[in-house]
Amino acid sequence: MNTYKKMYLNRISFCYIALGYFLGVFGNIDHYNKLLIAVFVVVLALLIIILSRCIVALVVKHSKIANIEITPKELERLGIKPSIESIPDEELNEILD
């Protein structure tokens, strides 16, 4: 599930960066308090980050693909030796693809 969370957060981050650059074109703070605007931007960014993490956690929690249970029989059928300790990410990605 962590891989899915990371994937969704990376996609959302890219959108936020693109949106920030787009909105930066229209920005002009000539006569406003720059410190106040900086604090506002930081607080708003933190709220957006927290909200994004909560939404992604809910999406992944209710996603059927991210929550598929993989049985040892399925692993053996795919030629993967089941190991309780760890499964390499590459093998896990092959199973899920």
Side-chain angles (χ1 to χ4, degrees), residues 21-66:
Y21 277 114
F22 177 74
L23 293 176
V25 171
F26 301 107
N28 188 6
I29 55 173
D30 288 335
H31 62 280
Y32 296 105
N33 185 344
K34 292 181 182 184
L35 180 62
L36 183 63
I37 291 174
V39 170
F40 175 74
V41 168
V42 168
V43 169
L44 185 62
L46 288 174
L47 289 174
I48 290 172
I49 290 169
I50 292 168
L51 182 64
S52 297
R53 286 185 157 284
C54 291
I55 290 170
V56 166
L58 285 173
V59 167
V60 170
K61 182 178 179 181
H62 296 292
S63 171
K64 292 180 181 179
I65 294 173

Side-chain angles (χ1 to χ4, degrees), residues 56-91:
V56 166
L58 285 173
V59 167
V60 170
K61 182 178 179 181
H62 296 292
S63 171
K64 292 180 181 179
I65 294 173
N67 295 308
I68 294 174
E69 184 177 330
I70 300 171
T71 64
K73 288 182 182 180
E74 291 172 340
L75 292 175
E76 289 174 1
R77 183 177 54 85
L78 294 169
I80 300 171
K81 180 181 175 189
S83 172
I84 295 175
E85 294 178 10
S86 67
I87 297 175
D89 287 339
E90 294 81 20
E91 291 180 11

